[in-house]
Amino acid sequence: MKKENYVIGVDYGTDSVRSIIANAANGQEVASAVFYYPRWKDGLYCDPAVNQFRQHPLDYLEGLEQTITRCLLQAGPSVTANIRAISVDTTGSTPVAVDETGTPLALLPRFEKNPNAMFVLWKDHTSVREAAEINAHAEKYDTNYLQYVGGIYSSEWFWAKLLHVLREDKEVRAACHSWVEHCDWIPFVLTGGKQASAMKRGVCSAGHKALWAAEFGGLPPNSFFAELDPLLNGFTNRLFTNTYTSDQAAGTLSKEWADKLGLSTDVVIGVGAFDAHMGAVGGQIEPYHLSKVMGTSTCDMLVAPLQEVEGKLVKGICGQVPGSVIPGMMGLEAGQSAFGDAYAWFKQVLAWPLQHVLGQSTIINTETAKAIIDETADKLIPELSKQAAQIPVDENSELAVDWFNGRRTPDANQELKGAITGLNLGSDAPRIFRAIVEATCFGAKAIVDRFNQEGVPVKGLIGLGGVAKKSPFIMQMMADVMNMPIRIHKSEQTCALGAAMFAATAAGIYNKVEDAMNAMGQGFDATYYPDKTRVALYQQRYKKYHQLGGNIERATKEKGSVSDKVLSN
């Protein structure tokens, strides 16, 4: 009887890590487990008021061990004996300061409670000033080092975060040997890495966030960073020159982790990448089809044959990197800083009375109150969606802009704020919710328009992630606003499944990731088509969205933004 091969895909999200075991022959999921980060759940080391979001490496390590162990227990000994490979995706840019051994500083006793020694989550915007300085500094050079990241460097990315942490914390600065992305660190851990200099860095994180490009011979020169700030002097020598695509192996499972997990040291560990990039593969991306991973934020991925986009540089996106999604093809990334987060914010606003009034009630006991609060909060978004879908809308209905956590693309600007206008005494919760949903769809359309304007046509839409699976209301509005059908992928875990596909390729089960994608892909289970009766109205409201957004941008500049102060110095 032919021996079956199994692979593990690990998907690190913002709130939790998910692992699956998949049959490498057909992608069938045979086990899955989720671990919610306990320190993150308690709000430790974060300060939303200043956009500081940090995660402790112990949350990641505990989640890695627990989810894989639970998956193996579910799957049983016969599957465990035939695990061939593990690959990992993570959020990004989510880097951390490490010592010479590649150990995050927060794992050392003297830094264990220091947020600056922890992973700086993708949505941390504490480095707005540093990003503005990088953008201004880059204009001084004949070589445009920002050309492959859309021409604008973001506070969500690698170098801005490093510079901010070095400036912010003298002790971390003294101990920081190198700066490492989460997606590169986990494979390093699993393979038993002992020296940061030996860590295999993925082209995905390096190209989209750290300014690595083959055309530059690697990273920009040390002089570029040292002239920006002497604190960065020498860092390029302690980082990396070579990068790797995710179809390659980072190594094999170390004895320490093999013993922890009950696996063989022959298990291959693949090179890591970002969640949206592997998720696009798990969702069976096609050339020129925008793969939208829709969760707390969105990451929009597009692939195109290298020869067809040669010489084209799309302005204002999150980068274009050969091999960052599918080796041998150009990977282009865009996205929105807040998508599901915008809905979650409104839910929290509505839940405030429950938590702070009912939660303090003396009429019912605490346990009963908590149960009522949790049950009611869980029903808010579904009920709001149901009611909002029934609201007749005209050109002057409530209108919103989706920059609740700044704007990622097109044209990164994390200083921008969200807005809701057109309110009146009849503006109830469903109408406001509807305006927020519409704004996120308009933000998505702005990304599609930018690709089209820059000569990279978007020929189709693929919806992935929790929002795509759970909200017909939002997906129907997305189709109406875009005036394009959107296909929803069947898999509940496209990112983890994409990681499993890369694991199968790294292990040599498939020659290329496209073969793994074709064999292991789960197909699509829904398509939303635009309602032609609404398209014209949305086109008019989309113009108003741009007008409102333009007013917000002008107001931000007039009040004296960080960027303007930097540029005027």
Side-chain angles (χ1 to χ4, degrees), residues 151-322:
I152 302 173
Y153 204 76
S154 169
S155 65
E156 293 186 349
W157 298 350
F158 187 91
W159 287 103
K161 290 176 172 178
L162 171 59
L163 182 54
H164 178 77
V165 167
L166 295 179
R167 287 174 171 176
E168 182 88 358
D169 197 310
K170 182 169 60 175
E171 291 186 356
V172 168
R173 180 169 72 237
C176 177
H177 174 76
S178 191
W179 192 241
V180 173
E181 284 285 358
H182 184 194
C183 65
D184 296 325
W185 181 65
I186 296 294
F188 176 78
V189 168
L190 287 172
T191 55
K194 300 299 182 186
Q195 292 294 322
S197 58
M199 186 180 302
K200 286 191 173 180
R201 312 281 189 134
V203 72
C204 175
S205 59
H208 284 284
K209 312 302 180 186
L211 299 179
W212 184 95
E215 291 81 356
F216 305 153
L219 297 167
N222 178 66
S223 58
F224 175 81
F225 299 105
E227 290 164 10
L228 170 64
D229 191 309
L231 293 179
L232 293 175
N233 187 33
F235 258 94
T236 54
N237 291 333
R238 306 203 299 271
L239 288 171
F240 54 93
T241 300
N242 298 322
T243 64
Y244 304 84
T245 52
S246 293
D247 59 338
Q248 299 179 68
T252 56
L253 192 63
S254 70
K255 185 178 186 307
E256 178 189 358
W257 276 89
D259 291 343
K260 280 183 182 181
L261 301 175
L263 291 172
S264 165
T265 54
D266 292 331
V267 171
V268 171
I269 306 300
V271 169
F274 291 145
D275 47 7
H277 298 67
M278 285 192 171
V281 169
Q284 297 173 271
I285 193 169
E286 301 173 28
Y288 300 108
H289 282 62
L290 196 65
S291 175
K292 298 181 62 60
V293 182
M294 291 177 272
T296 53
S297 67
T298 72
C299 283
D300 298 348
M301 306 307 307
L302 187 145
V303 295
L306 290 172
Q307 66 276 14
E308 293 181 14
V309 293
E310 186 176 357
K312 293 181 180 179
L313 293 171
V314 181
K315 297 176 183 176
I317 64 170
C318 301
Q320 49 194 85
V321 180

Side-chain angles (χ1 to χ4, degrees), residues 109-144:
R110 67 190 179 107
F111 291 113
E112 62 184 353
K113 294 185 178 179
N114 184 339
N116 292 318
M118 298 174 191
F119 283 89
V120 184
L121 190 64
W122 63 270
K123 68 192 242 179
D124 185 296
H125 292 161
T126 53
S127 56
V128 169
R129 178 179 179 84
E130 286 74 16
E133 290 180 26
I134 291 170
N135 286 314
H137 182 66
E139 294 182 2
K140 303 173 185 176
Y141 292 81
D142 292 335
T143 300
N144 179 6

Side-chain angles (χ1 to χ4, degrees), residues 218-465:
L219 297 167
N222 178 66
S223 58
F224 175 81
F225 299 105
E227 290 164 10
L228 170 64
D229 191 309
L231 293 179
L232 293 175
N233 187 33
F235 258 94
T236 54
N237 291 333
R238 306 203 299 271
L239 288 171
F240 54 93
T241 300
N242 298 322
T243 64
Y244 304 84
T245 52
S246 293
D247 59 338
Q248 299 179 68
T252 56
L253 192 63
S254 70
K255 185 178 186 307
E256 178 189 358
W257 276 89
D259 291 343
K260 280 183 182 181
L261 301 175
L263 291 172
S264 165
T265 54
D266 292 331
V267 171
V268 171
I269 306 300
V271 169
F274 291 145
D275 47 7
H277 298 67
M278 285 192 171
V281 169
Q284 297 173 271
I285 193 169
E286 301 173 28
Y288 300 108
H289 282 62
L290 196 65
S291 175
K292 298 181 62 60
V293 182
M294 291 177 272
T296 53
S297 67
T298 72
C299 283
D300 298 348
M301 306 307 307
L302 187 145
V303 295
L306 290 172
Q307 66 276 14
E308 293 181 14
V309 293
E310 186 176 357
K312 293 181 180 179
L313 293 171
V314 181
K315 297 176 183 176
I317 64 170
C318 301
Q320 49 194 85
V321 180
S324 66
V325 181
I326 295 177
M329 299 191 80
M330 182 68 76
L332 300 98
E333 178 190 358
Q336 294 161 267
S337 292
F339 195 78
D341 263 355
Y343 317 143
W345 163 77
F346 190 56
K347 171 184 169 181
Q348 290 167 357
V349 170
L350 295 180
W352 190 93
L354 292 172
Q355 296 162 347
H356 294 272
V357 179
L358 183 58
Q360 297 175 15
S361 173
T362 57
I363 299 174
I364 54 177
N365 64 53
T366 303
E367 189 173 326
T368 302
K370 185 179 184 305
I372 293 172
I373 292 168
D374 290 346
E375 182 181 358
T376 304
D378 288 344
K379 292 179 178 178
L380 281 175
I381 297 298
E383 186 60 28
L384 285 169
S385 298
K386 179 181 174 182
Q387 297 296 326
Q390 300 173 24
I391 296 172
V393 178
D394 60 36
E395 190 176 330
N396 298 311
S397 295
E398 293 85 354
L399 184 71
V401 170
D402 57 313
W403 302 332
F404 292 93
N405 197 23
R407 183 178 64 204
R408 181 178 294 163
T409 52
D411 305 321
N413 187 340
Q414 304 308 154
E415 294 182 319
L416 296 174
K417 307 296 182 185
I420 305 171
T421 189
L423 299 174
N424 56 59
L425 294 178
S427 299
D428 56 13
R431 284 175 170 79
I432 295 172
F433 177 72
R434 191 193 181 288
I436 293 170
V437 170
E438 183 188 56
T440 59
C441 293
F442 285 156
K445 179 171 170 54
I447 292 169
V448 169
D449 286 354
R450 177 59 59 90
F451 277 116
N452 288 332
Q453 291 160 5
E454 296 287 313
V456 179
V458 175
K459 298 179 180 179
L461 301 173
I462 297 173
L464 315 170

Side-chain angles (χ1 to χ4, degrees), residues 389-393 434 461 472-486 527-539:
Q390 300 173 24
I391 296 172
V393 178
R434 191 193 181 288
L461 301 173
F473 168 64
I474 296 172
M475 290 304 96
Q476 183 60 56
M477 187 179 292
M478 182 73 71
D480 295 345
V481 166
M482 296 282 201
N483 194 20
M484 292 176 70
I486 179 167
T527 301
Y528 293 89
Y529 295 93
D531 180 342
K532 296 300 183 182
T533 66
R534 299 180 180 180
V535 169
L537 173 61
Y538 280 126
Q539 288 174 345

Side-chain angles (χ1 to χ4, degrees), residues 524-567:
F524 301 86
D525 61 3
T527 301
Y528 293 89
Y529 295 93
D531 180 342
K532 296 300 183 182
T533 66
R534 299 180 180 180
V535 169
L537 173 61
Y538 280 126
Q539 288 174 345
Q540 291 301 313
R541 288 181 60 76
Y542 182 55
K543 291 178 184 177
K544 288 180 174 288
Y545 165 86
H546 274 297
Q547 291 168 358
L548 178 57
N551 290 338
I552 292 170
E553 289 198 73
R554 284 188 290 275
T556 300
K557 288 183 179 180
E558 287 170 3
K559 75 176 183 181
S561 69
V562 172
S563 301
D564 292 325
K565 289 176 183 176
V566 170
L567 291 170

